[in-house]
Amino acid sequence: MSAAFTPELIKSFDETGVVEIETVSPEGTKHLMKIWLVVVNGVPYVRSVRGTKGRWYRELLARGEGAIVVRGKRTPVKAKRDSTKAAIDGTSDALRRKYKTSGASLDSMLRADVLDTTVRLEPY
């Protein structure tokens, strides 16, 4: 059985509007970027608003790991692109619910050209 995020951490991910994602460049430089995170059936997902051009997205997938920082608490994560219909649709629906008042910002997360950058996060 694989490790799981605690229910308290999942709740924190679900209730926090903007989190920070920590990634590391190929040269070893650490980056922090503010992003949106949603929870789908108890699993956290992120998506790159800049599509495959997003630095955090490229760095996260290149290493397969990073960290999420919520309210000052750093949680190491493993990351895997998830292009299944269930993950893409679930993430889109969760974004619509969580960020329903975000207008154009929400629309930009639902564009066809960014759907394939849906990333599943798991405990490290």
Side-chain angles (χ1 to χ4, degrees), residues 80-115:
K80 183 176 180 191
R81 195 172 130 259
D82 191 342
S83 59
T84 63
K85 181 173 176 23
I88 290 172
D89 291 351
T91 299
S92 294
D93 291 344
L95 285 164
R96 285 185 192 97
R97 280 190 305 275
K98 186 172 180 179
Y99 302 102
K100 61 186 168 207
T101 62
S102 296
S105 295
L106 173 59
D107 293 343
S108 67
M109 292 294 286
L110 302 172
R111 295 186 332 261
D113 64 321
V114 303
L115 297 180

Side-chain angles (χ1 to χ4, degrees), residues 48-61:
S48 173
V49 71
R50 296 193 64 218
T52 57
K53 295 176 183 166
R55 180 178 66 199
W56 73 260
Y57 174 80
R58 292 189 324 268
E59 291 177 354
L60 184 68
L61 290 186

Side-chain angles (χ1 to χ4, degrees), residues 14-104:
D14 197 33
E15 292 176 349
T16 303
V18 176
V19 302
E20 287 184 301
I21 191 160
E22 177 188 295
T23 60
V24 179
S25 74
E27 299 77 30
T29 304
K30 186 176 10 174
H31 296 114
L32 281 172
M33 173 65 75
K34 292 179 191 240
I35 65 167
W36 289 354
L37 181 151
V38 294
V39 175
V40 179
N41 297 323
V43 177
Y45 285 89
V46 293
R47 180 179 288 163
S48 173
V49 71
R50 296 193 64 218
T52 57
K53 295 176 183 166
R55 180 178 66 199
W56 73 260
Y57 174 80
R58 292 189 324 268
E59 291 177 354
L60 184 68
L61 290 186
R63 288 191 179 252
E65 63 184 62
I68 297 296
V69 181
V70 177
R71 300 178 193 134
K73 182 180 179 198
R74 182 182 180 277
T75 302
V77 296
K78 291 186 281 185
K80 183 176 180 191
R81 195 172 130 259
D82 191 342
S83 59
T84 63
K85 181 173 176 23
I88 290 172
D89 291 351
T91 299
S92 294
D93 291 344
L95 285 164
R96 285 185 192 97
R97 280 190 305 275
K98 186 172 180 179
Y99 302 102
K100 61 186 168 207
T101 62
S102 296

